[in-house]
Amino acid sequence: MKTMAGVSAEGRGATDRLLAAVVAQLQVEGIRVAGALRAPLTEGATSHCNSDLHLLPDGPMVRITQELGAGSTACRMDAGALELAVGLATARLASEGVELVVLNKFGLSEAEGRGFRALIAEALSQGVPVLIGVSDAHRAAFAEFAQDLSTTLRPDEETILAWCRAVISRAAPPVREA
């Protein structure tokens, strides 16, 4: 069984909502999850360009975009804030006995060799499975990065949960009796 999986759901924000539901269920089951999910837009939010990442398992929230002013029509990634989020998530991987890394997406930064790529590689090297959202725009870059290490999951909560449980169970060290 492959220890990295990509998932894509149709519709704006659908992958984010799906991954959030999966993480919530895994946390109820006591599974230690690290990584980052995109925070849902708050009611009445006017800017579709702001992007906040909720670092798993319990925060903080990190805004990874920067405001460019009223005349700007483009959203801009805040590279420093993204690297802060990556650093915090990587520190959790190293110190918290993580069983699964979940990331909201393999985005432009990862496609260009930055962002959460190092965290993904570190998790896999430690035997920690990785679940990641993959958009159509970066599917080819993800496939090139993942090579044959990844599987594609149907965008169905039960399918994803079954994969997570299976790879976590497989990755768990054997229990030693006293």
Side-chain angles (χ1 to χ4, degrees), residues 6-8 12 15-16 19 35-38 51 53 64-65 77 82 102-111 114-117 120 130-138 142:
V7 64
S8 301
R12 182 170 175 79
T15 302
D16 294 325
L19 291 175
L37 293 178
R38 185 168 179 188
S51 187
L53 292 181
I64 60 167
T65 53
M77 179 64 61
L82 178 60
V102 180
L103 297 168
N104 69 307
K105 73 176 181 175
F106 189 90
L108 180 60
S109 292
E110 290 76 21
R114 299 183 314 276
F116 285 99
R117 270 177 93 132
I120 296 166
V130 177
L131 173 63
I132 188 165
V134 180
S135 68
D136 288 338
H138 301 105
F142 177 73

Side-chain angles (χ1 to χ4, degrees), residues 42-120:
T42 57
E43 194 67 35
T46 57
S47 176
H48 68 282
C49 294
N50 289 337
S51 187
D52 297 323
L53 292 181
H54 172 80
L55 298 182
L56 300 171
D58 53 8
M61 194 78 66
V62 178
R63 173 147 298 165
I64 60 167
T65 53
Q66 57 188 331
E67 298 291 332
L68 297 178
S72 176
T73 58
C75 295
R76 302 303 264 189
M77 179 64 61
D78 182 338
L82 178 60
E83 291 307 314
L84 171 66
V86 170
L88 291 170
T90 302
R92 288 183 178 169
L93 174 65
S95 68
E96 294 185 11
V98 172
E99 296 172 276
L100 178 71
V101 169
V102 180
L103 297 168
N104 69 307
K105 73 176 181 175
F106 189 90
L108 180 60
S109 292
E110 290 76 21
E112 293 178 341
R114 299 183 314 276
F116 285 99
R117 270 177 93 132
L119 172 63
I120 296 166

Side-chain angles (χ1 to χ4, degrees), residues 155-177:
D156 167 80
E157 189 173 337
E158 286 308 314
T159 299
I160 297 166
L161 285 167
W163 176 86
C164 291
R165 292 174 186 130
V167 295
I168 289 166
S169 163
R170 186 171 153 258
V175 176
R176 297 181 190 204
E177 294 186 30

